[in-house]
Amino acid sequence: MIQLYQFAPAFGLPNASPFCLKLETYLRMAALPYALPPFNMRELQAAPKGKMPYIVDGTRTVADSSLVIDYLKASYGDPLDDWMNAEQRAVALAWQRLLEEHLYWAVVYTRWIEPDGWALTRPAFFRALSAPLSWIVPPLARRGMAKALHSHGMGRHSREEINALGCSDLTALADFLGDKPYFMGEQPCSLDAVAYGFLANLLWVPLESALKLHAQKYPQLERYCQRMKSRYYA
Ligand SMILES: N[C@@H](CCC(=O)N[C@@H](CS)C(=O)NCC(=O)O)C(=O)O
C-alpha cells in the first residue's frame, strides 16, 4: 500500500501543510488506498527533496505533491482528469500555479512572519520538540522561511502589499468558482485537491489573518470546502 509521509495533523485539519492536504485529498478523490506512518522529524530529514509530502510505493519513493500525482496517474490511471480537454487542462494548471506559487507565499508570510501567525504556528508545528531543541529549532526555521520569502520575492513587499496580493488571488478564485460545485465545473478534478488543500488551510485555521477575513467574504468558498469535506472526508 502507498505510504504517505507528511506532517502530523494540526489546527484541526488532516494537515496544516496545503501541499500535504492536497496530496491526501487527491488519494481520497482517486480512491487509492494509503497508509499514514506517524510523523517524526526524521521523516522530514529523510525526505528526498527536504520537503513534505512524499510517498513510498513498494520500491519507489516519489517526492513533491505534483510529481507524486503524475506518478499515481501513470501507475494507477487518471480517473479525475481524463475528461478534460486541452484548454481545460491549461486553465486548471494556471489556477494550480496561482495557488502553489503565489498565494502560498502570502500564506507563509501570515503564518511564519506576522506575530499573530507565529504565535499559533510555533506551538502547532513544533510541539513535539523538547528542550533544548524546542528553543533552537523554531527560530531557525522561521529565519529559513523569511529567507525563502525574500528569495521568492514575496518577502520583499510590505505587509499591506502581501495581503493585497493574496486577497486578489482569493477574489479571482471566488469569482472563477462562482456557483459551480467544483473549480472546473460539475465534475471534480485534481485541481480541486489543490484548491481544497489551500482554502481549508485558510478558512479553517484559527488564525484571523487578512487573507482569511477576505476569503470569508465569499460564501461560495466556504460552501466549496464543506462540499469537498463531506464528499471525501466523511
Ligand atoms: N512543491 C512541493 C512543495 C512542498 C512544500 O513546500 N512543503 C513544505 C510544507 S507546506 C515543507 O515541507 N517545508 C519544510 C521545509 O521547508 O523544511 C510540493 O508540491 O510537494
Side-chain angles (χ1 to χ4, degrees):
M1 189 184 303
I2 296 163
Q3 306 291 310
L4 171 58
Y5 289 89
Q6 58 178 0
F7 297 108
F11 296 144
L13 287 171
N15 217 279
S17 152
F19 294 101
C20 295
L21 187 55
K22 162 194 168 183
L23 185 54
E24 185 167 1
T25 303
Y26 179 87
L27 287 162
R28 286 169 175 254
M29 292 174 81
L32 291 170
Y34 63 94
L36 290 171
F39 172 75
N40 62 55
M41 278 293 174
R42 274 193 304 279
E43 279 151 14
L44 180 56
Q45 283 149 8
K49 296 184 181 174
K51 286 184 186 252
M52 300 292 224
Y54 66 97
I55 63 155
V56 176
D57 185 23
T59 56
R60 289 288 305 270
T61 300
V62 190
D64 186 284
S65 60
S66 295
L67 297 182
V68 172
I69 289 173
D70 288 347
Y71 162 81
L72 295 173
K73 286 178 176 179
S75 308
Y76 300 104
D78 186 6
L80 289 171
D81 293 343
D82 61 357
W83 58 274
M84 289 197 287
N85 64 31
E87 186 184 343
Q88 288 168 315
R89 284 168 202 276
V91 171
L93 182 64
W95 283 115
Q96 181 185 334
R97 297 288 192 250
L98 173 139
L99 286 154
E100 297 186 351
E101 308 299 339
H102 192 260
L103 180 60
Y104 172 69
W105 292 102
V107 174
V108 167
Y109 179 82
T110 65
R111 286 186 176 183
W112 289 80
I113 308 300
E114 292 207 277
D116 288 359
W118 181 236
L120 278 176
T121 298
R122 182 177 180 146
F125 290 7
F126 299 102
R127 64 179 178 270
L129 293 179
S130 44
L133 287 181
S134 58
W135 308 324
I136 299 163
V137 174
L140 279 180
R142 191 183 193 205
R143 216 171 302 149
M145 285 299 187
K147 262 191 176 168
L149 273 159
H150 190 78
S151 300
H152 171 270
M154 186 64 88
R156 296 166 199 238
H157 300 309
S158 68
R159 175 180 184 272
E160 289 68 29
E161 287 166 339
I162 294 172
N163 283 329
L165 287 166
C167 287
S168 56
D169 291 346
L170 290 164
T171 300
L173 284 159
D175 287 344
F176 183 73
L177 178 64
D179 293 331
K180 300 195 293 291
Y182 300 103
F183 266 90
M184 295 306 294
E186 293 299 313
Q187 215 171 313
C189 69
S190 62
L191 172 62
D192 293 296
V194 186
Y196 181 68
F198 277 80
L199 293 172
N201 256 300
L202 271 176
L203 286 167
W204 294 344
V205 300
L207 171 60
E208 304 309 310
S209 64
L211 298 179
K212 175 177 175 178
L213 297 179
H214 191 75
Q216 285 174 330
K217 290 183 191 158
Y218 300 98
Q220 67 266 43
L221 296 180
E222 173 69 26
R223 283 198 300 269
Y224 169 80
C225 287
Q226 294 290 356
R227 186 176 304 121
M228 288 292 291
K229 184 179 175 190
S230 56
R231 182 158 178 176
Y232 297 111
Y233 286 88

